[in-house]
Amino acid sequence: MINTLGALGWLFLVVAFGAIVPVVPTGAAVSSAAAYALHEYPYAIGLVVAAGAAGAYTGDLVMYAMCRYGGEQLARRLHWLNDEERLNAVRARLQRRQVTVLLVSRLIPGGRVPVLLAAAFAGVSWRTFVIANLPACVLWSLVYSTIGLLGASIFPEPWQGVLAAIVVILVVNQSITWISRWWGRRAARASTSSTS
């Protein structure tokens, strides 16, 4: 039990750190933990979801506070603010549907950081952010845990399930990144040709 609690503590820390430093693959960490738990500690699967959600929520709150009080200068210094055009598009969406955009942002690879930045710079209230981000983090952790459980249920060895979960996460994330880039270029071409 102590080993399980220690592993859950590490999962919480990795996910919280990854929410602040967006290069850490937090989804893969949650999927891997769920895959491993299915084989070794099936009773801990709910705790994996909870630890992943708590880490994501804590990290998001820290990042939101940093963006809120550090502003655009801090975001530029930490290289969080790279795409002004995308940030402006997210700001426009946030003005129309704050809660919906905050809920969905965690499920879209690469979508969370622009939404956090836009929400912080647009002055979305703490109350709105805190309330909307909680179910978003739980849903995110549940989705990634499910991916890990699916991988683990197919393979007999824990390491195979962990590897399968990581591969699936990487393929899905890369596919969504390619599709969103293609969609963005297509929209840019359409807006350029309509203004000509």
Side-chain angles (χ1 to χ4, degrees), residues 116-140:
L116 280 174
L117 292 172
F121 301 157
V124 171
S125 74
W126 270 101
R127 184 172 188 268
T128 301
F129 181 77
V130 165
I131 291 170
N133 197 46
L134 182 61
C137 290
V138 172
L139 183 61
W140 171 84

Side-chain angles (χ1 to χ4, degrees), residues 16-34:
F17 181 74
I20 300 165
V21 181
V23 295
V24 176
T26 55
V30 172
S31 292
S32 300

